[in-house]
Amino acid sequence: MFNHQLELLAPARDIDIGIEAVNHGADAVYIGGPSFGARKSAENDLADIARLVAHAHRFHARIFTTLNTILRDDELEPARQMIWQLYEAGVDALIIQDMGLLELDLPPIQLHASTQCDIRSPEKARFLQDAGLSQLVLARELTLEQIRAVRAVTEVPLEFFVHGALCVAYSGQCYVSHAQNGRSANRGDCSQACRLPYQVTDSAGGIVAHDKHVLSVKDNNQSDNLAALVDAGVRSFKIEGRYKDMGYVKNITAHYRTLLDEILTQRPDLSAGSSGHCRYTFTPDPNQNFNRDATDYFVQGRKEDIGAFDSPKNPGQLIGAVSKINRDSVEIESPVEITLHNGDGMCYFDLQKTLVGMAINTAEALGDGRWRVVPKDPITELRHLRIGTEINRNRDMSWQRVMDKKSSDRRVNVVMQLDETPDGLALRLTDDDGYVATVAVELPKEMAKDADRAAASLRENLGKLGTTMFTPTDIRLNLSQPWFVPASSINALRREGIEALEAARQSALHRLPRAVPVDPPVAYPEETLSYLANVFNHKARDFYAKHGVKLIAAAYESHEEEGEVSLMITKHCVRFSLSLCPKQTRGVTGVHGTIKAEPLNLINGNETLKLVFDCKPCEMHVVGKLKRGVVQQRAREVQTAPIQFYKARFPT
């Protein structure tokens, strides 16, 4: 059945960040488990995950654990054991890439298809739904029209990334890191070759671009497209960032919570994916966090400005320009009203378009929009700093101090009604979700000397919900008269009532069941699979064979591919971004004259990659060859690490 709930899905590097994601409005949180997640250094133990689950479930928010690497045969059993333990810890769903997991004896836990599954077509989306996946993370490159096409053939919730860093490759389709140094992106260990600077040369060796980060794209920001994404069929709005810090998760979660709540007020046919409302001590602002400038990528069609080619670092926000350089200080003039602080971080681009950091020790207001700042480093070491140089701020210490403190209060509204009983009083509590709890106390009814004061006292003591998850919206005294009740008695009744209401909410909570695959098994859209399908174990092979695939190649990490192959497939096109697309121009002059025939090459140090352009689907292939000796040495070094880890942590 088509889902009418909107889910805000936030990331968590660790449990404390996960708790704050919930506190700042997340309907669900995704987090790494003890292992096998696609962020190698974002792992968490089971006891901590159980603690996060308990906190999230109070608000009927859900916890998803990432198990989205491809697995070797000897990792299947440890992974299966871990899944059972995650289920027992209360986890609501697993985000997976390896289809071999569907062939294991698993608990009845929901399985979600990771973005690593590379879901770009309606046919593949429908297949994964029919195979038993309960939620699908769509490729980030899809347009609104393509999302609508997937929605037309599926019923399960569709998940889409709306904010954060972008993989330039189709997720699951990048092997550059593994080919060069044995660090597999599909096994959570990407070395991010896409963020490096490259010389772009043509086939004759002519330089097309010099030291540009041509594979580095800006960060995703779909703030302006949320309503359109809802209309296209997206129901889970995912924030990237399992490596991000607490401040990022607080701020970005609050930002999208605010935007989605605005949509919900306009769309009575839709509802939030969890309970409660948030009050923030700050105004959410995505520009305050690390970002490489913003793009909405391909949602509204191909754009020319998606690249962050000058630097993969955080350029921050423009605050002004250098007006004077002193022996140990710099004066900055700003056209807008700003406040600088001791400890702020600043930066600028030098003459080579390299981002130069300028940490500030002290900042002094001079009036009329002018500031004198004393950098941490000597002025002489600030390369190419000149009068007129534009200055950005990429760390605001005032903002950081706000983020370091408690910055959100998430509550569930409750109506409290105090009734008389023959033996005393009863308190009935009804929350926004319709859950009800009633508790009673036996006590003698004493006439109040001052009726108004007694009524005020009852309301005041009933409304003391400060440390709970509830906030009173109405306190009703359904009494024949305002009796005198000792504060200790009414406080005890209130505490008992809140405990009973939380228990009622908890007892009504249930995990959604695992989807049942269609029987007999549906056919996979293709009969042949190349290394791009990432089949790394015999169970994955069994899965695809069961679904009619006749020829199944091994994953690239199996090292069976000889010679040059596509190490990255991407919708981003370097040729288009450099205005070299045949649709843009005919005969472009570069540094060394007219650009020669393709392919173009990317050169960084001793590494050379070839660019091949497939114009029909408008895609680019980054082609290269496995450095077999380097890769095999690394494989030997890490071969037994996961098994040793599990034997130590989960002895059988």
Side-chain angles (χ1 to χ4, degrees), residues 52 87 128 178 181 269 322 379 430 601 640:
L52 175 59
Y87 178 73
L128 290 171
H178 188 76
N181 53 47
D269 57 313
V322 174
I379 298 294
T430 307
N601 295 299
T640 60

Side-chain angles (χ1 to χ4, degrees), residues 99-228:
M99 293 298 111
L101 293 171
L102 276 74
E103 298 296 300
L104 301 181
D105 173 28
L106 300 182
I109 189 171
Q110 280 204 340
L111 303 177
H112 295 182
S114 168
T115 184
Q116 249 90 4
C117 291
D118 186 30
I119 306 171
R120 285 182 267 160
S121 69
E123 294 78 13
K124 188 168 186 179
R126 180 58 192 238
F127 168 79
L128 290 171
Q129 172 186 292
D130 291 345
L133 280 300
S134 299
Q135 189 155 307
L136 309 179
V137 189
L138 300 181
R140 301 171 223 213
E141 294 80 4
L142 297 191
T143 64
L144 290 170
E145 182 179 357
Q146 290 170 321
I147 294 171
R148 283 191 290 268
V150 172
R151 175 77 284 159
V153 300
T154 56
E155 296 178 345
V156 297
L158 302 181
E159 186 177 314
F160 193 72
F161 278 95
V162 294
H163 201 92
L166 286 164
C167 273
V168 65
Y170 291 121
S171 288
Q173 305 291 279
C174 184
Y175 311 91
V176 175
S177 176
H178 188 76
Q180 292 181 347
N181 53 47
R183 294 176 56 180
S184 167
N186 281 314
R187 287 176 56 76
D189 196 21
C190 179
S191 61
Q192 295 193 315
C194 55
R195 301 297 183 187
L196 297 175
Y198 290 95
Q199 299 273 16
V200 183
T201 64
D202 62 20
S203 61
I207 296 178
V208 180
H210 174 70
D211 277 352
K212 290 290 184 180
H213 302 261
V214 293
L215 296 180
S216 179
V217 294
K218 295 177 181 178
D219 285 356
N220 189 17
N221 187 329
Q222 301 294 339
S223 298
D224 295 335
N225 293 326
L226 291 187

